[in-house]
Amino acid sequence: EAFITANRKWMTPESEEIMKLMNPLDQKRVISGGTLSGCRDSVAVLQTRAKRGREMELEFEMIASGKKVEPPKPAAEQMPLPLFSAEAAWAFIHATPQEVRVEHSRF
């Protein structure tokens, strides 16, 4: 309640409800992240803090038990390479728009 009161300026009614419904351990994780001052999406901040806290605790437990923790792969290795050339991209961006008939539309 004290955290909600201190951060009410940045919290929405939805984020207040989410905070109240969290289990005490997740609430502690969120509070340990500090104030919500200046955040735009308090719901996302609350959920992200709780998730990161759980992930760090799991990683700590694995390290403490002697299990090897693999570092996350860099984003470049996870991202598929584009299957088109720069010329194809330019042609797509600068193509003349065409009207799609209703029976051919996917929307």
Side-chain angles (χ1 to χ4, degrees), residues 35-85:
T35 181
L36 296 175
S37 71
C39 78
R40 292 187 204 184
D41 188 353
S42 55
V43 172
V45 172
L46 295 176
Q47 292 172 339
T48 301
R49 286 183 183 179
K51 180 182 176 193
R52 283 187 186 160
R54 286 189 298 269
E55 289 170 350
M56 288 192 314
E57 288 171 6
L58 178 63
E59 184 178 348
F60 178 75
E61 288 174 10
M62 291 179 71
I63 291 170
S65 68
K67 295 180 181 176
K68 185 178 178 182
V69 178
E70 294 183 26
K73 294 181 182 180
E77 291 179 18
Q78 297 172 349
M79 295 281 286
L81 295 174
L83 302 175
F84 56 87
S85 65

Side-chain angles (χ1 to χ4, degrees), residues 7-41:
N7 290 280
R8 185 158 279 135
K9 179 178 178 181
W10 299 283
M11 294 181 82
T12 63
E14 181 184 6
S15 62
E16 288 182 32
E17 187 66 24
I18 289 172
M19 184 68 177
K20 289 176 184 177
L21 293 175
M22 282 183 173
N23 67 52
L25 191 54
D26 279 346
Q27 288 176 346
K28 185 176 179 180
R29 291 175 182 132
V30 170
I31 293 169
S32 68
T35 181
L36 296 175
S37 71
C39 78
R40 292 187 204 184
D41 188 353

